[in-house]
Amino acid sequence: MKTIIEQIDAGQLNTDTIKKAGDILKNGGLVAFPTETVYGLGADALNEDAAKKIYAAKGRPSDNPLIIHIADMNALDKITETIPEKAEIAAKEFWPGPLTMIFQKADIVPMGTTGGLDTVAVRMPKHPAAKEIIRAGGGYIAAPSANTSGRPSPTTARHVEEDLTGKIDMIVDGGAVTIGVESTILDMTVEPPMILRPGAVTKDMLERLIGEVAVDKTLIEPDSKKIPKAPGMKYRHYAPKAELTILEGDIYRVTEAINRLAEAKINEGFKVGIIGTEETIERYSAGNVKCIGTRQNEMTVAGNLYGILRDFDSDGTDYIYSESFSSGGIGNAVMNRLLKAAGHHLVHV
Ligand code: AMP
Ligand code: MG
């Protein structure tokens, strides 16, 4: 299959590109497009055959349900059975934006989209190109991250090309995304509502608005034998090819320990990558050191995370050592993805 790649300017949308993307989606094809979180791989969510193509292109396990992306509030009525009041309040505040909510699904939503579940995950993205492509494609677009399953999620069109060229119909290139980690997932079918995946919309932000919010235990206790409530969270996800170790503790001791570990591996002949921050970068003396952002603003860290993991893959890196991030806010989402990428290999120094 030939993959069409077209660039689009978020400030001035090219209507021909939007129309082309919409026509492909309406005809059951696959289009990757930018959202504010990561690039999504879109298909008509109400067309079971189209949704199935997403699983094939990504190599995604069939029990891992898709998030349906909508562009207008009235679209939510059509695909859900009931909309709890708290969901309406959260939607008013955070939609369009990086929040996905789970509802009882309406019959119109095929099981092929929900991985056999009778619930459906829905998000209204903020990215102007995403909104227009969703509308042009019929209004209900299933769109998981546009990567090969198991690889770090794509934050640029180039990342999508690396994974999916020849497997999908079109890539709409709208430049780098702004957030860089996937949406917060909030299950509205339980009381209190429960966070199944941390993202840019934090527990605090939600609790200020709708009261108590629970957190899926498997996010807090990674060793727990419990199965995550979001099926996708059980897979080793976001993973670079290198073995990743996260070091936490006093930042001075962390940098010293990383230097020691890096030197030892380099002496054994391995390629070593280091993930540091603006505050620490000068302290590293060995290996391929990349700056992920500043601790003063962990949004910068979220924005660079997946790109850096992919860069280490292209460099043929064998071992990666990373500082840890856990100051709350979006740092929780960053740490959740880093821990998964590391297979929960966390060392306290
Ligand atoms: P992705 O879009 O690739 O970032 O993955 C979507 C995430 O949403 C996966 O972790 C899914 O398991 C999760 N998800 C989608 N639909 C549901 C649902 N109905 N119930 C629970 N989790 C869901
Ligand atoms: Mg994904």
Side-chain angles (χ1 to χ4, degrees), residues 58 60 64-67 102 117 119-121 143-145 182 185 196-197 229-233:
K58 282 178 58 82
R60 182 176 176 103
N64 189 0
L66 307 174
I67 295 172
I102 293 176
L117 298 176
T119 54
V120 61
S145 49
E182 301 85 345
I185 301 181
L196 309 188
R197 175 172 77 183
K229 293 199 189 322
M233 297 295 277

Short mmCIF file of all heavy atoms in Angstrom, two decimals, residues 58 60 64-67 102 117 119-121 143-145 182 185 196-197 229-233, ligand 1:
data_model
loop_
_atom_site.label_atom_id
_atom_site.label_comp_id
_atom_site.label_asym_id
_atom_site.label_seq_id
_atom_site.Cartn_x
_atom_site.Cartn_y
_atom_site.Cartn_z
N LYS A 58 -1.09 -1.97 13.43
CA LYS A 58 -0.27 -1.74 14.62
C LYS A 58 0.31 -3.02 15.21
O LYS A 58 1.22 -2.99 16.03
CB LYS A 58 -1.13 -1.09 15.73
CG LYS A 58 -1.39 0.39 15.57
CD LYS A 58 -2.30 0.90 16.70
CE LYS A 58 -1.75 0.68 18.10
NZ LYS A 58 -0.77 1.65 18.58
N ARG A 60 -1.64 -4.80 17.09
CA ARG A 60 -2.19 -4.59 18.43
C ARG A 60 -3.02 -5.80 18.85
O ARG A 60 -3.82 -6.32 18.06
CB ARG A 60 -3.10 -3.35 18.39
CG ARG A 60 -3.74 -2.91 19.70
CD ARG A 60 -4.50 -1.62 19.43
NE ARG A 60 -5.25 -1.07 20.52
CZ ARG A 60 -4.86 -0.03 21.26
NH1 ARG A 60 -3.68 0.51 21.06
NH2 ARG A 60 -5.65 0.45 22.19
N ASN A 64 -7.42 -5.23 23.18
CA ASN A 64 -7.06 -3.89 23.66
C ASN A 64 -7.95 -2.85 22.96
O ASN A 64 -7.72 -2.52 21.81
CB ASN A 64 -5.57 -3.63 23.37
CG ASN A 64 -5.08 -2.36 24.03
OD1 ASN A 64 -5.84 -1.68 24.72
ND2 ASN A 64 -3.82 -2.04 23.83
N PRO A 65 -8.98 -2.35 23.67
CA PRO A 65 -10.00 -1.52 23.02
C PRO A 65 -9.48 -0.18 22.54
O PRO A 65 -8.45 0.31 22.99
CB PRO A 65 -11.05 -1.33 24.12
CG PRO A 65 -10.33 -1.57 25.40
CD PRO A 65 -9.22 -2.52 25.11
N LEU A 66 -10.24 0.42 21.61
CA LEU A 66 -9.85 1.69 20.99
C LEU A 66 -10.62 2.85 21.61
O LEU A 66 -11.76 2.68 22.04
CB LEU A 66 -10.14 1.63 19.49
CG LEU A 66 -9.55 0.43 18.75
CD1 LEU A 66 -10.03 0.42 17.30
CD2 LEU A 66 -8.02 0.44 18.80
N ILE A 67 -10.02 4.02 21.65
CA ILE A 67 -10.71 5.23 22.10
C ILE A 67 -11.41 5.87 20.90
O ILE A 67 -10.79 6.04 19.85
CB ILE A 67 -9.70 6.22 22.73
CG1 ILE A 67 -9.09 5.62 23.99
CG2 ILE A 67 -10.38 7.56 23.03
CD1 ILE A 67 -7.93 6.43 24.58
N ILE A 102 -14.74 6.81 30.13
CA ILE A 102 -15.34 5.53 29.77
C ILE A 102 -16.81 5.50 30.19
O ILE A 102 -17.15 5.88 31.32
CB ILE A 102 -14.54 4.38 30.39
CG1 ILE A 102 -13.16 4.37 29.73
CG2 ILE A 102 -15.25 3.04 30.22
CD1 ILE A 102 -12.22 3.38 30.28
N LEU A 117 -15.71 -5.36 24.89
CA LEU A 117 -16.28 -4.82 26.14
C LEU A 117 -17.62 -4.14 25.86
O LEU A 117 -17.89 -3.70 24.74
CB LEU A 117 -15.33 -3.77 26.75
CG LEU A 117 -13.94 -4.26 27.17
CD1 LEU A 117 -13.10 -3.07 27.66
CD2 LEU A 117 -14.05 -5.32 28.26
N THR A 119 -18.36 -1.42 27.36
CA THR A 119 -18.09 -0.01 27.64
C THR A 119 -17.31 0.59 26.47
O THR A 119 -16.73 -0.14 25.68
CB THR A 119 -17.25 0.15 28.93
OG1 THR A 119 -16.08 -0.66 28.79
CG2 THR A 119 -18.04 -0.29 30.16
N VAL A 120 -17.34 1.93 26.41
CA VAL A 120 -16.62 2.59 25.32
C VAL A 120 -15.84 3.79 25.87
O VAL A 120 -16.34 4.53 26.73
CB VAL A 120 -17.60 3.03 24.20
CG1 VAL A 120 -18.64 4.03 24.70
CG2 VAL A 120 -16.85 3.62 23.01
N ALA A 121 -14.62 3.97 25.40
CA ALA A 121 -13.78 5.10 25.80
C ALA A 121 -13.95 6.21 24.77
O ALA A 121 -13.93 5.94 23.56
CB ALA A 121 -12.32 4.66 25.88
N ALA A 143 -9.06 6.01 17.39
CA ALA A 143 -7.69 6.44 17.11
C ALA A 143 -6.75 6.14 18.28
O ALA A 143 -6.55 6.96 19.16
CB ALA A 143 -7.65 7.93 16.78
N PRO A 144 -6.16 4.94 18.27
CA PRO A 144 -5.10 4.68 19.24
C PRO A 144 -3.82 5.37 18.78
O PRO A 144 -3.79 5.95 17.70
CB PRO A 144 -4.93 3.16 19.17
CG PRO A 144 -5.28 2.83 17.76
CD PRO A 144 -6.35 3.81 17.35
N SER A 145 -2.79 5.33 19.60
CA SER A 145 -1.52 5.94 19.18
C SER A 145 -1.04 5.29 17.89
O SER A 145 -1.18 4.08 17.70
CB SER A 145 -0.49 5.77 20.29
OG SER A 145 -0.46 4.42 20.74
N GLU A 182 0.03 10.21 26.41
CA GLU A 182 -1.36 9.93 26.10
C GLU A 182 -2.31 10.52 27.13
O GLU A 182 -1.92 10.82 28.26
CB GLU A 182 -1.59 8.41 26.00
CG GLU A 182 -0.75 7.70 24.95
CD GLU A 182 0.62 7.32 25.44
OE1 GLU A 182 1.07 7.84 26.49
OE2 GLU A 182 1.27 6.50 24.77
N ILE A 185 -7.10 8.56 31.35
CA ILE A 185 -8.33 7.77 31.17
C ILE A 185 -9.08 7.72 32.49
O ILE A 185 -8.52 7.30 33.52
CB ILE A 185 -8.04 6.34 30.68
CG1 ILE A 185 -7.29 6.37 29.35
CG2 ILE A 185 -9.34 5.55 30.55
CD1 ILE A 185 -6.98 4.98 28.78
N LEU A 196 -7.67 5.24 35.15
CA LEU A 196 -7.06 3.99 34.69
C LEU A 196 -5.69 4.23 34.04
O LEU A 196 -4.92 3.30 33.86
CB LEU A 196 -7.97 3.28 33.67
CG LEU A 196 -9.43 3.06 34.07
CD1 LEU A 196 -10.12 2.19 33.04
CD2 LEU A 196 -9.54 2.43 35.45
N ARG A 197 -5.46 5.49 33.65
CA ARG A 197 -4.15 5.85 33.07
C ARG A 197 -3.91 7.32 33.38
O ARG A 197 -4.76 8.15 33.09
CB ARG A 197 -4.17 5.63 31.56
CG ARG A 197 -2.89 6.08 30.84
CD ARG A 197 -2.86 5.68 29.38
NE ARG A 197 -3.70 6.52 28.55
CZ ARG A 197 -3.90 6.35 27.24
NH1 ARG A 197 -3.30 5.35 26.62
NH2 ARG A 197 -4.68 7.16 26.56
N LYS A 229 -7.38 -2.28 34.80
CA LYS A 229 -8.74 -2.17 34.27
C LYS A 229 -8.75 -1.67 32.83
O LYS A 229 -9.69 -1.90 32.09
CB LYS A 229 -9.57 -1.26 35.16
CG LYS A 229 -9.80 -1.86 36.54
CD LYS A 229 -10.98 -1.18 37.21
CE LYS A 229 -11.17 -1.55 38.66
NZ LYS A 229 -10.92 -2.91 39.04
N ALA A 230 -7.73 -0.92 32.43
CA ALA A 230 -7.58 -0.57 31.01
C ALA A 230 -6.75 -1.68 30.39
O ALA A 230 -5.57 -1.82 30.72
CB ALA A 230 -6.90 0.77 30.84
N PRO A 231 -7.35 -2.51 29.53
CA PRO A 231 -6.63 -3.69 29.03
C PRO A 231 -5.25 -3.36 28.48
O PRO A 231 -4.30 -4.13 28.64
CB PRO A 231 -7.55 -4.22 27.94
CG PRO A 231 -8.92 -3.77 28.36
CD PRO A 231 -8.73 -2.44 29.00
N GLY A 232 -5.12 -2.18 27.85
CA GLY A 232 -3.83 -1.82 27.23
C GLY A 232 -2.71 -1.64 28.24
O GLY A 232 -1.54 -1.76 27.89
N MET A 233 -3.05 -1.35 29.49
CA MET A 233 -2.03 -1.05 30.48
C MET A 233 -1.29 -2.30 30.94
O MET A 233 -0.30 -2.21 31.65
CB MET A 233 -2.63 -0.32 31.69
CG MET A 233 -3.22 1.05 31.37
SD MET A 233 -2.00 2.25 30.83
CE MET A 233 -1.37 2.82 32.41
P1 AMP B 1 -3.99 4.09 23.06
O1 AMP B 1 -5.11 4.82 22.38
O2 AMP B 1 -3.17 3.22 22.19
O3 AMP B 1 -3.18 5.02 23.87
O4 AMP B 1 -4.70 3.08 24.06
C1 AMP B 1 -5.99 3.27 24.56
C2 AMP B 1 -6.06 2.85 25.99
O5 AMP B 1 -7.43 2.98 26.43
C3 AMP B 1 -5.67 1.40 26.24
O6 AMP B 1 -4.92 1.30 27.42
C4 AMP B 1 -7.03 0.73 26.37
O7 AMP B 1 -6.95 -0.46 27.10
C5 AMP B 1 -7.85 1.80 27.06
N1 AMP B 1 -9.29 1.63 26.84
C6 AMP B 1 -9.97 1.86 25.70
N2 AMP B 1 -11.28 1.55 25.84
C7 AMP B 1 -11.44 1.11 27.11
C8 AMP B 1 -12.55 0.63 27.86
N3 AMP B 1 -13.77 0.54 27.32
N4 AMP B 1 -12.33 0.26 29.15
C9 AMP B 1 -11.10 0.36 29.70
N5 AMP B 1 -10.02 0.80 29.03
C10 AMP B 1 -10.17 1.17 27.75
#
